[in-house]
């Protein structure tokens, strides 16, 4: 018999912090960062994601990224797409 399907769960706060830091390094983001709350995704490399963006005086022109997770596992970062609505999301500073 095939193994039973177990849907992914949202990542823990610690996993999000670690994943976002790893993603920022991969994307070569420097300085302050801000991110959204965890949201479910129906596309991309993971079942959950957070929006990520650099902060600073010219933050308005900086692109947003989506950081993906399955459970507590970081799955990757990519430029945010329109359907993720990261530009409209309320972001908070990453601590």
């Amino acid at each position: 018999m095939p193994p039973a399907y177990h849907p992914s769960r949202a990542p823990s706060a610690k996993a999000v912090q670690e994943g976002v830091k790893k993603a920022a390094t991969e994307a070569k983001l420097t300085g302050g960062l801000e991110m959204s709350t965890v949201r479910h995704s129906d596309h991309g490399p993971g079942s959950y994601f957070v929006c990520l963006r650099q902060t600073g005086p010219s933050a308005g022109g900086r692109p947003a990224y989506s950081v993906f997770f399955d459970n507590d596992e970081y799955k990757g970062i990519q430029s945010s797409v329109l359907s993720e609505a990261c530009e409209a999301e309320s972001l908070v500073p990453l601590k």
Side-chain angles (χ1 to χ4, degrees):
M1 281 183 84
Y5 171 72
H6 298 285
S8 295
R9 60 176 169 65
S12 67
K14 180 180 178 187
V16 170
Q17 290 282 333
E18 291 171 357
V20 164
K21 288 178 182 175
K22 184 174 183 177
T25 299
E26 285 179 19
K28 296 177 175 63
L29 302 178
T30 59
L33 300 170
E34 54 188 5
M35 66 178 216
S36 69
T37 58
V38 175
R39 297 187 299 166
H40 188 266
S41 176
D42 60 358
H43 64 280
S47 297
Y48 291 87
F49 76 102
V50 297
C51 298
L52 176 67
R53 185 174 57 211
Q54 273 186 265
T55 59
S58 61
R62 297 188 184 176
Y65 296 90
S66 297
V67 181
F68 291 90
F69 298 87
D70 272 334
N71 303 312
D72 283 348
E73 183 181 351
Y74 165 72
K75 300 300 278 185
I77 184 172
Q78 66 186 32
S79 292
S80 177
V81 296
L82 239 104
S83 63
E84 294 161 353
C86 284
E87 296 302 326
E89 190 72 21
S90 293
L91 304 177
V92 297
L94 180 65
K95 297 177 178 150

